[in-house]
Amino acid sequence: MAEEALIVIDLQNDFCPGGALAVAGGDEIVPLVNDLIRRTEHVVLTQDWHPAGHSSFASSHPGSQPFETIEMPYGPQTLWPDHCIQGSIGSDFHSGLAWTKAELVIRKGFRTAIDSYSAFFENDHTTPTGLAGYLKERGIDTLTLVGLATDYCVAFSALDAVKQGFKTTVRLDACRGIDLSGSLDAMIALMRETGVTLEDHLSD
C-alpha cells in the first residue's frame, strides 16, 4: 500500500490539555493515532511553528482578545493565545506520540505576517508548503488525516488535499475540535460537501 499516507496534524503540547490553546480531549487520541502510525507505511507530521509575536496572536494586536476575528491582508483571521512558539515545550509533539516513524515533518505558521492552518497552503491559499509536490513525487494519492483540531487545521488540510487531487479521508475518532461558534458542525458539513470521506470508527 505504498500509495497511501497518514497525515498527523499538530499533535503538540499546546493543543493538548494544559497547553496554551488546549483542545478538549486532545490527548485522548494519542493511542489511536499511534495505532494508525504503526499500520501505515508512510507517515507525515505537521507542526505549528510560530515565531514569538506572530500576527495571529491576540497579544500582537493591542486591545484585542483571543478568539476575536480581525481582517488581515489575506482575509479574516481568528486571533489566538500565544501558542506553539518555535523551540518551546508547547511546540513539541505530545510526549506519548510515536512520531519517530515520520518521514517528513511540515512546519507551518513560521512566517510572521501570515497564519497557516492547512498542511498544504498558508492562509492566503496560494503560498504552498510543498507537501502536495512531495506526496505526488512519491506516488502517494490517498491520504488519511488525523489530529488537532478537527474544525481548523485538520479541516483546512483535508479541503486542500481534495483540491490537490488526493483521495482524502478524515478519521473523526482520531481528531478533536475547538468548536468556536459552531465551527465544528460547519466544517464537518463543508468537508462532506467537498468530497472528503469522514469515518468515525467509534460509532461503528
Side-chain angles (χ1 to χ4, degrees), residues 112-133:
T112 302
I114 187 167
D115 206 6
S116 184
Y117 297 155
S118 170
F120 293 92
F121 290 95
E122 307 282 6
N123 281 9
D124 60 3
H125 307 295
T126 57
T127 305
T129 64
L131 178 56

Side-chain angles (χ1 to χ4, degrees), residues 94-170:
H94 185 281
S95 61
L97 181 65
W99 60 268
T100 54
K101 188 178 175 183
E103 53 194 48
L104 179 70
V105 176
I106 289 281
R107 286 178 166 163
K108 58 193 184 60
F110 57 80
R111 294 178 174 88
T112 302
I114 187 167
D115 206 6
S116 184
Y117 297 155
S118 170
F120 293 92
F121 290 95
E122 307 282 6
N123 281 9
D124 60 3
H125 307 295
T126 57
T127 305
T129 64
L131 178 56
Y134 173 87
L135 294 170
K136 288 173 181 175
E137 192 166 318
R138 300 289 306 278
I140 293 166
D141 60 8
T142 302
L143 305 178
T144 298
L145 276 67
V146 299
L148 305 172
T150 314
D151 40 342
Y152 283 90
C153 296
V154 174
F156 280 88
S157 298
L159 295 171
D160 280 344
V162 169
K163 285 179 195 165
Q164 294 296 305
F166 295 99
K167 183 183 176 190
T168 306
T169 298
V170 170

Side-chain angles (χ1 to χ4, degrees), residues 53-66 68 70-74 77-80 82 112-113:
H54 192 267
S55 61
S56 70
F57 295 166
S59 60
S60 299
H61 303 272
S64 295
Q65 297 297 316
E68 289 181 7
I70 64 167
E71 279 297 321
M72 298 288 273
Y74 51 86
Q77 171 67 50
T78 300
L79 296 179
W80 304 107
D82 292 23
T112 302

Side-chain angles (χ1 to χ4, degrees), residues 22-50:
V23 179
D27 54 346
E28 296 171 359
I29 66 173
V30 172
L32 178 52
V33 171
N34 285 345
D35 189 48
L36 292 168
I37 288 172
R38 277 191 291 271
R39 293 191 281 121
T40 308
E41 185 175 349
H42 298 294
V43 179
V44 174
L45 270 57
T46 70
Q47 188 175 25
D48 221 27
W49 195 247
H50 295 305

